[in-house]
Amino acid sequence: MGGWAHFLCLTFVFLAVCGSTAAAANNKLPVSAAVQKLQAKAISMRLHESRMWQVLLHYRQSWTGSWRSEADGSAFFLSGAEGKTDPKAELLATIAVLSQGPVATNAKLSIEESQHPQCRFPARWQWLKTTLAITDVPDQPCPIYEQWRQGISAQKVTLVYAAAYVNSPASMYGHTFLRLTRSTGEGNPLLDYIINYAADVDTQNGLVYAFKGVFGGFKGLFYAMPYYMKIQEYSNIESRDLWEYELSLSPQQSERLVQHTWETRTTHFDYFFFGENCSYFLLGLLEAADPNLHLSERFGGVTIPANTVRAVLDVPGLVTSSNARPSLRATMFAQKRALSGKQLDNAEALASEGKLAAAQIAGEAPAKQAQIIDAGYARLRYKEGLTWPPSESFERKERELLVMRGRTRAPPQSVQNIAFVAAPETGHRTLRLSVGAGTTANGQSRERGQTFQDLSIRFAIHDFLDRHQGYPEDALLEMVNLRLRFLNQPNKLFVDRLNLLHIVSAAPINSWFIAPSWKVWAGGAQAYELGCSGWSCSYGGLDTGGGFAWRPFRPTLLWGMADLAGHAGPAFRQSYRVGLGGSAGVVISWGRFAQTEMGGQYLRHLLGDTRSFPTLSVGHAFNFGRRVQLRFVAESFAWHVFARTELLAYF
């Protein structure tokens, strides 16, 4: 069976049995004496309190001591609605239902209902069968499940982290999924299957999407698909570096993970962007494989994929090896760096013209020809975007370049292919607390020359002055960054700034990569340029902009954008202002030790309060490892200058 046919078959098998069931009614069947004996044994062993039962049913205990499952589909519970909050009742019902005889043949039953409960819940059945030493209840035939299980044929489990992708709201913080190494002997990881958890998105409206994502309005589902399809989506199309972490789970534990993944098809989980998301529920799968792991318990209200990678790495011996899979864009630039001058032009010509440009490299040595063709081929693939189906022009040029490459008879050329984004565990932690102090030097307001203290907390995730390792160097992404300020005279405490959402995507352009840069800010701030502070000077608003970025040399990033902003609050005449203008910034990275950022903005306010002033800022940060940083920042709002020193800690 071909790869696509195999994938479609497995997908059909997995999805065809996702309908609602009447399984909850099964616990109403008469309970035999043998079943009662098993139930009594389970209660005497207190299996309903066991760790394995908790992870298989996704039970979580509240601070009051009560239990509640995170599974939200009723078919997941064999005792009906009671099973969501009563582990004991669910255990008794599960023993009764799994011990019943074959399901009677009935043409009116759905595919799901025609399966024996042992086939729908293989992980529960195998665990109960072993733990209770059940010998007088026969295993029921499960052809649908067996076909799916054998197609995946899992032997090992690898955690895969995809770097952040700021152009997709669901992937701004990165993404994790599991790769299952097949025991069928191909040896090619691209043929492995992955287990992914994602929201079942049912809207194209951006505002509805954001609202439902934040407040759990989407259903979260597990699904399986070939690894090469995720490579196509993440590494090739979205240019996201992947990091793979092979886990030490045994083949038996890997099998239990597959069994439990199959069980989740009977339910869904409410999907929350910031909490119960892709990474959180993957940890639950790993706990089902090995109940001695306590990974998900480390996360409360906010679960960020990079932090889940750190949690896995913190378990001694759980990760046996790690490996980078640079994106197609990273590969293209690595091959581009190996060329210069005319060679770069020739590679571009090959990508654009195919064999029509072959004569331009005829004078090069075979090894150099191979390098140029490799770079041209990577450039061709990147320009095409690896869309499906590929265009006729792409297929023709691809064949031509591959034939040319073969004729060189040169072996694969070695290039230093480095992922754009370093491994997530090398980066700073995502929760940040800071304290600071400063002065309002050179102000012309009544608060001129006053000192102040700052206290701030940021829940996620990275700005341009943060240590860059482990995060995209060309992007700023903050979610809920609150800074409080206390002005010593006249003893006033107020919100200095609240960034509910702050994104800057500054993708540097060059001859092989041209993409627009953009930004968005939503939150609240102080209109210091008006010579005031406190509640009467506060405003809320939305700023956005677009433009381009450029990296003249590796440590330096320059960007400039045209801006549109709308603000409202008591600080303004007519209580609002709308303006057009521009902004620019410079970011310099000094390796692992320090970062510098300078920027400015000028908005010409055309509606509401038309008073217009420039703002400027400069900051420098010194890194003390991944946990501590010292910053010096100066900001100018018209003629009002604020200078502060901050000590930051990352948790």
Side-chain angles (χ1 to χ4, degrees):
M1 183 181 296
W4 275 100
H6 193 198
F7 164 58
L8 292 174
C9 178
L10 284 173
T11 302
F12 171 77
V13 169
F14 192 71
L15 297 180
V17 293
C18 290
S20 61
T21 77
N26 288 329
N27 65 318
K28 298 180 181 179
L29 295 173
V31 178
S32 67
V35 170
Q36 290 179 342
K37 184 177 179 180
L38 288 175
Q39 291 174 330
K41 183 178 181 181
I43 296 303
S44 67
M45 296 174 65
R46 308 184 73 86
L47 294 187
H48 58 286
E49 298 177 357
S50 68
R51 171 66 176 167
M52 179 60 81
W53 190 243
Q54 293 169 9
V55 298
L56 288 179
L57 274 296
H58 295 266
Y59 285 124
R60 295 290 182 267
Q61 192 171 28
S62 71
W63 63 274
T64 62
S66 61
W67 291 91
R68 186 176 183 85
S69 174
E70 293 171 330
D72 297 299
S74 59
F76 193 64
F77 305 103
L78 295 174
S79 62
E82 186 180 16
K84 187 173 178 66
T85 56
D86 191 337
K88 184 177 180 180
E90 181 63 18
L91 176 65
L92 296 177
T94 298
I95 293 173
V97 172
L98 296 185
S99 300
Q100 71 185 43
V103 177
T105 302
N106 188 334
K108 295 182 179 180
L109 293 178
S110 67
I111 296 177
E112 170 71 5
E113 293 168 332
S114 66
Q115 293 188 97
H116 192 277
Q118 290 180 11
C119 305
R120 290 186 277 116
F121 300 100
R124 295 188 208 179
W125 169 238
Q126 291 300 323
W127 176 68
L128 288 172
K129 181 181 175 181
T130 301
T131 306
L132 295 175
I134 300 175
T135 58
D136 54 352
V137 178
D139 291 325
Q140 300 296 324
C142 304
I144 297 176
Y145 165 67
E146 284 300 323
Q147 181 183 5
W148 182 80
R149 183 188 69 83
Q150 292 175 13
I152 290 179
S153 189
Q155 185 179 41
K156 295 181 180 180
V157 178
T158 297
L159 175 67
V160 184
Y161 172 83
Y165 182 58
V166 297
N167 290 327
S168 171
S171 301
M172 289 190 297
Y173 298 112
H175 181 65
T176 56
F177 55 92
L178 300 176
R179 175 169 67 84
L180 307 178
T181 302
R182 304 183 75 198
S183 60
T184 49
E186 292 96 339
N188 185 350
L190 295 181
L191 299 180
D192 293 341
Y193 279 81
I194 70 164
I195 301 299
N196 193 47
Y197 178 83
D200 183 17
V201 178
D202 56 7
T203 179
Q204 298 297 321
N205 185 291
L207 292 177
V208 175
Y209 178 88
F211 180 85
K212 297 181 73 172
V214 171
F215 295 102
F218 293 126
K219 292 182 178 179
L221 302 172
F222 288 99
Y223 61 91
M225 65 187 300
Y227 189 30
Y228 66 79
M229 295 188 68
K230 270 301 177 194
I231 294 290
Q232 164 80 348
E233 176 187 356
Y234 285 167
S235 183
N236 296 341
I237 296 176
E238 297 180 355
S239 295
R240 300 169 68 178
D241 298 316
L242 303 180
W243 287 87
E244 301 173 329
Y245 302 85
E246 186 174 291
L247 307 180
S248 60
L249 298 180
S250 68
Q252 294 74 22
Q253 292 170 328
S254 302
E255 175 69 14
R256 187 159 57 235
L257 185 147
V258 171
Q259 291 173 346
H260 185 58
T261 301
W262 175 260
E263 293 180 340
T264 64
R265 82 205 184 284
T266 63
T267 189
H268 69 272
F269 303 83
D270 292 340
Y271 188 96
F272 294 85
F273 283 163
F274 305 123
E276 297 178 14
N277 55 26
C278 64
S279 293
Y280 177 80
F281 282 111
L282 282 185
L283 298 179
L285 284 188
L286 296 179
E287 291 172 338
D290 182 358
N292 293 317
L293 298 174
H294 292 262
L295 300 170
S296 60
E297 297 172 3
R298 299 179 55 171
F299 299 92
V302 177
T303 307
I304 294 176
N307 290 342
T308 63
V309 173
R310 294 187 182 98
V312 170
L313 286 166
D314 286 343
V315 178
L318 182 56
V319 174
T320 59
S321 63
S322 62
N323 176 60
R325 184 179 289 274
S327 67
L328 175 59
R329 182 183 168 202
T331 301
M332 179 183 72
F333 277 100
Q335 293 171 334
K336 180 176 181 285
R337 287 193 297 269
L339 306 176
S340 61
K342 186 63 175 178
Q343 295 169 350
L344 286 173
D345 296 336
N346 291 340
E348 177 66 31
L350 289 173
S352 302
E353 304 172 24
K355 69 179 181 181
L356 296 177
Q360 300 181 29
I361 64 172
E364 300 281 0
K368 183 55 69 175
Q369 287 186 28
Q371 281 188 326
I372 296 172
I373 295 171
D374 288 345
Y377 181 54
R379 175 68 173 139
L380 172 65
R381 294 173 64 205
Y382 186 80
K383 288 171 63 178
E384 179 73 12
L386 294 180
T387 56
W388 187 263
S391 66
E392 292 183 5
S393 173
F394 172 81
E395 291 182 326
R396 174 182 58 80
K397 293 175 184 176
E398 182 181 44
R399 287 193 299 269
E400 293 172 354
L401 292 184
L402 291 176
V403 169
M404 292 172 58
R405 180 63 173 84
R407 287 174 178 169
T408 66
R409 298 187 177 182
Q413 300 300 294
S414 176
V415 295
Q416 188 179 14
N417 193 359
I418 302 174
F420 277 123
V421 181
E425 68 271 17
T426 65
H428 61 77
R429 302 284 174 147
T430 53
L431 177 65
R432 191 184 74 189
L433 299 176
S434 70
V435 294
T439 180
T440 58
N442 300 324
Q444 293 187 6
S445 70
R446 60 180 180 174
E447 296 160 356
R448 176 175 43 136
Q450 296 300 313
T451 57
F452 59 85
Q453 292 80 44
D454 287 347
L455 176 65
S456 70
I457 179 171
R458 187 189 67 189
F459 290 95
I461 184 172
H462 180 75
D463 64 33
F464 283 134
L465 281 179
D466 285 322
R467 186 175 182 268
H468 288 171
Q469 279 71 26
Y471 295 90
E473 294 185 2
D474 307 328
L476 176 156
L477 173 59
E478 288 189 316
M479 191 79 73
V480 189
N481 183 8
L482 171 65
R483 183 164 66 230
L484 300 176
R485 176 161 292 176
F486 181 79
L487 199 62
N488 290 322
Q489 293 183 4
N491 293 333
K492 183 162 51 178
L493 178 67
F494 54 90
V495 175
D496 174 69
R497 192 168 186 87
L498 172 61
N499 295 339
L500 293 175
L501 175 66
H502 187 197
I503 302 174
V504 178
S505 176
I509 64 173
N510 57 54
S511 60
W512 281 27
F513 177 81
I514 299 178
S517 297
W518 58 276
K519 66 176 183 176
V520 63
W521 173 85
Q526 294 285 313
Y528 289 127
E529 65 272 18
L530 303 182
C532 58
S533 63
W535 166 248
S536 63
C537 197
S538 62
Y539 67 87
L542 176 68
D543 295 10
T544 187
F548 293 95
W550 177 49
R551 192 179 289 282
F553 42 90
R554 181 63 186 166
T556 302
L557 174 69
L558 309 176
W559 58 265
M561 302 189 196
D563 297 346
L564 170 64
H567 305 148
F572 309 126
R573 299 168 183 169
Q574 303 180 51
S575 298
Y576 79 99
R577 67 184 182 186
V578 177
L580 293 171
S583 59
V586 180
V587 181
I588 304 174
S589 175
W590 307 99
R592 298 176 181 268
F593 307 104
Q595 299 76 233
T596 301
E597 180 185 15
M598 296 173 283
Q601 182 185 51
Y602 179 78
L603 292 172
R604 179 65 177 174
H605 297 111
L606 305 174
L607 299 175
D609 192 331
T610 59
R611 290 175 290 178
S612 303
F613 306 96
T615 60
L616 300 171
S617 66
V618 59
H620 187 76
F622 293 99
N623 307 318
F624 298 92
R626 293 195 293 265
R627 295 294 190 117
V628 178
Q629 188 183 78
L630 182 65
R631 291 188 180 184
F632 302 96
V633 179
E635 297 173 299
S636 171
F637 303 86
W639 50 82
H640 306 286
V641 178
F642 294 77
R644 68 179 188 273
T645 301
E646 291 180 295
L647 181 65
L648 302 90
Y650 300 83
F651 299 92

